[in-house]
Amino acid sequence: MTTTTTAPTVPEAPARTHHPLRAEALRGFPPLAGAAVLLLLGALLPPSADTWQGDWAKTAAQLHNALVIAVPFAAAAGCWQGGREGRRRTEELWDTAVRAPLTRLLVSALPVALWVAVGYLLTVALTTLTTWPYVRGDHPHPSLVPGDTIALMAAVLMGHVVGRAAPTSLAAPLLGVAGYAGLGTAVHQDAVSPLNPAVPAMDGFWPVWWQPLAMAAWTLGLAFALILAYAARRRATALLPLATALAAALLLSTGSGPWRPDPLAHRQVCDTSTTPAVCVNARYSGMLPQVRAALSGVTGKLHGVHGLPARWSNRGTEPRADEAALPMLTPFGWYVVRGRLTQPDQYAWEAVAALSGRGDCENQPALVQLADEAVQAYLAPSPFQGHFDSLDAKGDAAARAHLRESLAARAKLAGMDEQRRRTWLSAYFAARADCDAEGVPSL
């Protein structure tokens, strides 16, 4: 008699279950929302790239200023996700779920908020990479990024609550339009603007260390107060994040304010090997060799001349008594594009025009005008001088007469020997900033 034995059955391992938050985050609308933010900002920033590539401060400001579009879009994305069950007509089914309403809301809203933040941070990273090769000074300014990212996430959460409360397909676009109008209006309200995450960044100013924390507490506090008031079992718990938001608002609105001057914006970097010395703003110190090269023809011709200002300055304000205003390097997109000086001849001509110090003089005597034109034509002629001369040649009798006198003065100065021209230029610059003819040598 034979006996058979059967192997014991091994119980099957229970199927691995994943958290519902993972399924929400990896499928459906949330990844699309993050991609949409990346595409939206990718469409807004490149057209103005000439004005910010190569300037860390301008790059950071452009990313921050894009919030006036990105925040309403994030709110609309959250609203669309919040109205999902209403569009599917599955609200009653969800009401029978075991999970609490607050849990269900956060599981649906947080993936969109996280993906929107990812889309914005990818934009920041890509923008940083595109501006890095062209930078000519300064350093990155990431201080605005944390507060801006939190503001976008808070907008998604608040929009989600609106979508739950008004489950209609029109709620999302209407909320986006209303948010854009509201942010734009609040920028011009002094009492509200410190709390507005989309208020434009001020040139030459950066937030103090606590500003991103306070802005995050303000935006997230309002968002969670709204969420708890809508979905929590004990709605009184909404008072805690609301109190946090109000405390942050008080901090943002009092004291010396959340902004501090950029120390580099008020410093000059100079090359003193020439006369006048060439000074540029410390934020663009890497542009100094290009500026010096553009002015090398001018400084070479001024060797040995007396009465010159001590330096060309790039302060953005009225030059001091011993200075002449250097043409501004900013805004980028005019003289400087992607770290390069694009019009050195025009730049040198404007720098020479500032040496006389008579830019604000009106109704100058003919002698002074002829001297100024001769000096500018000798040191750094305008690239458009031929065009202007042809216009005068076709003009009325007065214009033609002035052209003849101007050409004669230019030729006389250019034809002088070195010593005589140096003496004449010294007398000319000794009378700089005088609007009358006294002291200005004739030609």
Side-chain angles (χ1 to χ4, degrees), residues 148-237:
D148 293 348
T149 306
I150 295 297
L152 287 171
M153 297 177 70
V156 171
L157 297 178
M158 288 188 280
H160 194 91
V161 175
V162 174
R164 291 264 179 148
T168 172
S169 299
L170 294 177
L174 289 177
L175 180 62
V177 172
Y180 177 75
L183 287 177
T185 302
V187 166
H188 304 289
Q189 304 296 324
D190 292 338
V192 180
S193 60
L195 310 177
N196 185 353
V199 66
M202 296 181 289
D203 187 37
F205 289 85
W206 294 108
V208 296
W209 67 268
W210 51 263
Q211 191 270 355
L213 300 176
M215 186 59 70
W218 163 250
T219 54
L220 276 184
L222 290 180
F224 278 105
L226 186 61
I227 288 173
L228 293 176
Y230 176 79
R233 290 179 179 176
R234 297 182 179 179
R235 296 184 178 181
T237 55

Side-chain angles (χ1 to χ4, degrees), residues 45-55 58 62 131 134 329 331-340 342:
L45 295 175
S48 60
D50 287 354
T51 66
W52 54 262
Q53 275 188 316
D55 186 345
K58 191 64 175 178
Q62 285 290 99
T131 203
Y134 309 112
L329 297 172
F332 280 14
W334 176 242
Y335 278 129
V336 180
V337 177
R338 294 180 178 88
R340 296 187 61 185
T342 59

Side-chain angles (χ1 to χ4, degrees), residues 5 71 85 121 153 177 192-193 224 245 280 316 323 356 402 438:
T5 59
V71 166
E85 309 309 328
L121 292 175
M153 297 177 70
V177 172
V192 180
S193 60
F224 278 105
V280 300
E323 295 178 345
S356 71
H402 176 79
E438 184 178 355

Side-chain angles (χ1 to χ4, degrees), residues 219-301:
T219 54
L220 276 184
L222 290 180
F224 278 105
L226 186 61
I227 288 173
L228 293 176
Y230 176 79
R233 290 179 179 176
R234 297 182 179 179
R235 296 184 178 181
T237 55
L239 295 177
L240 180 60
L242 183 60
T244 302
L246 293 178
L250 184 63
L251 183 62
L252 285 168
S253 304
T254 57
S256 58
W259 302 93
R260 60 176 176 81
D262 183 357
L264 287 181
H266 303 284
R267 284 178 48 201
Q268 299 276 294
V269 177
C270 300
D271 181 349
T272 58
S273 63
T274 64
T275 302
V278 181
C279 302
V280 300
N281 192 285
R283 287 166 57 180
Y284 317 108
S285 58
M287 291 297 302
L288 184 57
Q290 294 187 54
V291 173
R292 180 185 58 199
L295 299 177
S296 60
V298 177
T299 54
K301 295 174 181 177

